[in-house]
Amino acid sequence: MEMDGWEDFFFVDSKPIAVCRVARGRRCRMGRTGELMQAPDFGFCASQHEYYFGYKLHAICGLSGLIDFYDLSKASVFDLNYVKDVKLTCHDCSIYGDMGYVGADVQLDLFQTARIRLECPYRLNQKGWKPTFVTFAKARKRIGTLFSQLTGKFLVIRNYAKITGGLFARIIGKISALTVLQYVNYINNKPIGRIKYALN
């Protein structure tokens, strides 16, 4: 809350978290002995054009580049389903997502219940197509940068956990470590997104 400056404009995106190779997915025992609702599943990553077996990390960040909310779901869960729960934690704000969050019913529900404006780029075959606002498209790169930092610096996609709880704990630990480095930059009057400054 000290770093984000009480922002009211956010970006939402998701990242695949694979737990094993697709060929071994049927034999993976993670989550099978406990709660089946938390077990990994098969999913498709549109940006990488590949199938994977595991989970999906959903995150919402502000203009400052700080992850404000995050959650893990099965890989088969659509991105739009995560946004339905955002109204429980956010209100009176705008959220910008990619084409995976297009849904008129969900957009209307979010606005009526929590005054949340969910903005998404139009698909080319969608009625009333409008070009994407360039400023929003460039600003949305912030959440992509966060995912790249979690992947490159904290190896968020390289997890060797054997149980679901262990995987969740590692993901939370890595997001917390990123936030601590951002706070170190913040108190030293440096850009919080340049986490390599905090390591020097």
Side-chain angles (χ1 to χ4, degrees):
M1 292 175 64
E2 182 180 350
M3 286 190 289
D4 65 11
W6 301 94
E7 295 174 337
D8 55 4
F9 196 91
F10 301 93
F11 306 95
V12 61
D13 205 354
S14 63
K15 181 172 185 59
I17 305 293
V19 297
C20 67
R21 300 281 186 180
V22 175
R24 296 183 57 197
R26 299 286 183 189
R27 294 174 287 159
C28 181
R29 303 302 301 170
M30 179 180 286
R32 305 293 183 187
T33 57
E35 182 65 39
L36 291 179
M37 293 297 293
Q38 297 180 356
D41 199 0
F42 292 95
F44 180 75
C45 179
S47 61
Q48 299 177 6
H49 302 286
E50 64 180 11
Y51 289 92
Y52 69 99
F53 182 79
Y55 297 93
K56 188 180 289 187
L57 173 64
H58 304 272
I60 295 179
C61 80
L63 286 170
S64 62
L66 182 71
I67 295 179
D68 292 275
F69 310 99
Y70 60 89
D71 198 2
L72 280 168
S73 69
K74 290 187 174 188
S76 58
V77 174
F78 291 109
D79 293 343
L80 194 60
N81 290 338
Y82 167 70
V83 182
K84 294 178 182 178
D85 298 332
V86 172
K87 60 186 177 183
L88 302 176
T89 54
C90 298
H91 60 86
D92 298 305
C93 63
S94 297
I95 300 177
Y96 190 80
D98 58 15
M99 294 182 184
Y101 299 92
V102 174
D105 295 339
V106 176
Q107 289 175 314
L108 182 61
D109 178 61
L110 289 175
F111 187 77
Q112 290 179 341
T113 57
R115 306 292 294 179
I116 297 175
R117 296 183 62 221
L118 178 61
E119 303 284 345
C120 304
Y122 282 77
R123 293 192 175 100
L124 292 177
N125 61 351
Q126 194 172 353
K127 291 183 178 180
W129 179 86
K130 297 178 182 178
T132 304
F133 190 36
V134 179
T135 305
F136 286 167
K138 289 183 178 180
R140 193 182 166 276
K141 291 181 180 179
R142 283 174 172 79
I143 193 163
T145 301
L146 287 174
F147 282 149
S148 297
Q149 290 173 338
L150 286 171
T151 302
K153 302 291 185 183
F154 299 95
L155 306 177
V156 72
I157 62 173
R158 186 178 297 176
N159 291 287
Y160 302 103
K162 302 300 181 184
I163 61 175
T164 305
L167 174 65
F168 289 3
R170 294 183 187 197
I171 298 296
I172 293 171
K174 292 177 181 184
I175 293 177
S176 300
L178 172 64
T179 306
V180 168
L181 293 180
Q182 289 176 327
Y183 185 70
V184 170
N185 282 338
Y186 175 77
I187 61 178
N188 290 324
N189 296 319
K190 295 179 180 179
I192 66 172
R194 308 287 179 85
I195 59 174
K196 61 182 181 180
Y197 291 165
L199 297 174
N200 295 334

